[in-house]
Amino acid sequence: MTEKLSASLEDYIEAIASLAGSSGETRAADIADAMGVSRPSVTVALRGLASRKLVFYKPYSTVSLTENGRNLAAAVSRKHRILSRFFNEILGADEQLADEAACRVEHAIGEEITDRLVEFLAFIDNCPMAVEGGFEFNSTKRQNFRNEGAKNGKN
Amino acid sequence: MTEKLSASLEDYIEAIASLAGSSGETRAADIADAMGVSRPSVTVALRGLASRKLVFYKPYSTVSLTENGRNLAAAVSRKHRILSRFFNEILGADEQLADEAACRVEHAIGEEITDRLVEFLAFIDNCPMAVEGGFEFNSTKRQNFRNEGAKNGKN
DNA sequence: TGGTAATATTAGCCTTATCTAACTTTTGTC
DNA sequence: GACAAAAGTTAGATAAGGCTAATATTACCA
């Protein structure tokens, strides 16, 4: 159905959703600034997104997402959040590294893997055993097993 | 230091390492067949890899990896194995899906995330609590991730 | 040793994604 | 309401990565 979008266009969609806020609208210059690309690149991307019916786009005007665009943006953002949490909270990567990795990986995993990762995170959050075993995934604490493991000096 | 390689060239390096076997050599046609790509595409890729000193390449001859090439191939393959294990054994994705996702994600994570994932898998393998916690991620087979995880050897 | 099959490369084209420079449209201010 | 600044687009490049068709090289074998 939804012809898989390139990583680049997914990034544009994600940025537009993030910038659109409550008004639902944003402009090319803001997208360019937010993404660190040139304005002509944004024009090209918007045409690509418009041709796929993911944004409402008229030259020299503001941009907003279609319903499909919003859905797609939500899906990508969800992957991003989940991955970032996994890298940071479970693996213990610092927030910046976790976020950078999430930015790239979000384009590489599908819904099934994402759903399973969600289940996994939920499990960890509710698993007292994991805490006793050395995990500290308490929603407040955000530590990870590495800290515990290091003490036990496993080479 | 090691100027980050494109996902495409990493795939070529990985395929070459896999095909080279004990002789250490392989040919463009085999690479093309293995990767499902045309032979001219292989020629172009080999030039790119040769210019980065990752393969020994002379027109109309066999190809082999340099030491840097082998190291890079090993690093990529390691990511692939670890990710595939994680997706399959911990998240419960079937082997094919796990492998496909690993193929894409392997180009998107760095060494630090990979190292942390290795530690995490090791932790899970040695965590009896997790078993008792009844962690079940494979909705169809209802496999316990511990049982799956235990039977596999090294990362 | 010559000829053909297999292998590899070149040539030329396409797509995606990016850029800068130049031009056009819109907006905001006096 | 005119005009300059801001915003957006067009034009023209570059680079990576892929393809097919045509050409070149190598290898095998009778």
Side-chain angles (χ1 to χ4, degrees):
Chain A
M1 40 207 72
T2 312
E3 180 86 16
K4 170 72 178 157
L5 218 55
S6 69
S8 172
L9 289 186
E10 280 189 358
D11 281 335
Y12 281 98
I13 277 278
E14 207 180 357
I16 292 166
S18 156
L19 292 166
S22 53
S23 78
E25 294 191 340
T26 187
R27 14 184 78 262
D30 297 330
I31 301 170
D33 288 349
M35 297 185 63
V37 299
S38 71
R39 275 176 282 194
S41 297
V42 175
T43 300
V44 172
L46 290 176
R47 275 202 289 254
L49 294 174
S51 78
R52 291 168 175 79
K53 303 268 203 288
L54 296 171
V55 299
F56 295 113
Y57 166 68
K58 286 285 185 187
Y60 297 104
S61 175
T62 57
V63 186
S64 58
L65 294 174
T66 64
E67 170 146 18
N68 284 346
R70 281 195 302 275
N71 291 340
L72 212 162
V76 176
S77 293
R78 170 173 173 261
K79 289 177 191 174
H80 185 107
R81 281 193 311 277
I82 311 269
L83 287 163
S84 189
R85 267 193 66 195
F86 174 67
F87 294 144
N88 177 241
E89 296 174 22
I90 279 65
L91 298 190
D94 68 44
E95 284 186 25
Q96 192 193 331
L97 178 62
D99 202 64
E100 288 166 358
C103 272
R104 294 187 303 269
V105 177
E106 68 191 10
H107 309 296
I109 60 170
E111 305 316 314
E112 180 175 336
I113 296 273
T114 306
D115 290 345
R116 289 174 182 276
L117 194 51
V118 168
E119 287 181 55
F120 172 74
L121 290 178
F123 171 81
I124 293 291
D125 274 347
N126 297 310
C127 178
M129 304 282 193
V131 179
E132 289 167 36
F135 284 81
E136 289 189 60
F137 298 137
N138 221 308
S139 8
T140 45
K141 210 92 194 218
R142 322 256 133 145
Q143 286 255 304
N144 72 87
F145 73 100
R146 304 187 81 243
N147 300 332
E148 285 296 314
K151 289 176 193 164
N152 304 342
K154 195 71 190 331
N155 78 317
Chain B
M1 198 174 148
T2 312
E3 181 85 15
K4 173 69 178 159
L5 218 57
S6 68
S8 171
L9 290 187
E10 281 189 358
D11 280 336
Y12 280 99
I13 277 276
E14 207 179 356
I16 292 166
S18 155
L19 291 166
S22 53
S23 76
E25 294 190 339
T26 187
R27 13 185 77 262
D30 296 330
I31 300 169
D33 289 349
M35 297 185 63
V37 94
S38 73
R39 275 177 276 197
S41 296
V42 175
T43 299
V44 172
L46 289 177
R47 276 202 289 255
L49 294 173
S51 78
R52 290 167 175 79
K53 302 270 203 292
L54 295 171
V55 299
F56 294 113
Y57 166 67
K58 287 284 184 184
Y60 296 105
S61 175
T62 57
V63 186
S64 59
L65 294 173
T66 63
E67 171 146 17
N68 284 346
R70 282 195 301 275
N71 292 340
L72 212 162
V76 176
S77 293
R78 171 173 171 259
K79 289 176 193 175
H80 185 106
R81 282 194 308 278
I82 292 163
L83 288 163
S84 187
R85 266 194 65 196
F86 175 68
F87 295 143
N88 177 240
E89 298 174 19
I90 280 66
L91 298 190
D94 69 42
E95 284 186 26
Q96 192 192 330
L97 177 62
D99 202 65
E100 287 166 358
C103 272
R104 294 187 302 268
V105 177
E106 67 190 11
H107 309 296
I109 60 170
E111 304 316 315
E112 181 176 335
I113 296 275
T114 307
D115 290 344
R116 289 175 183 277
L117 193 51
V118 168
E119 288 181 54
F120 172 73
L121 291 178
F123 173 83
I124 294 291
D125 275 348
N126 296 309
C127 177
M129 305 287 191
V131 184
E132 292 160 32
F135 196 52
E136 292 179 310
F137 290 112
N138 190 322
S139 53
T140 54
K141 290 185 202 162
R142 290 282 114 185
Q143 289 171 312
N144 184 292
F145 81 109
R146 276 295 295 152
N147 300 335
E148 274 297 296
K151 76 183 181 199
N152 284 61
K154 276 282 156 194
N155 40 329

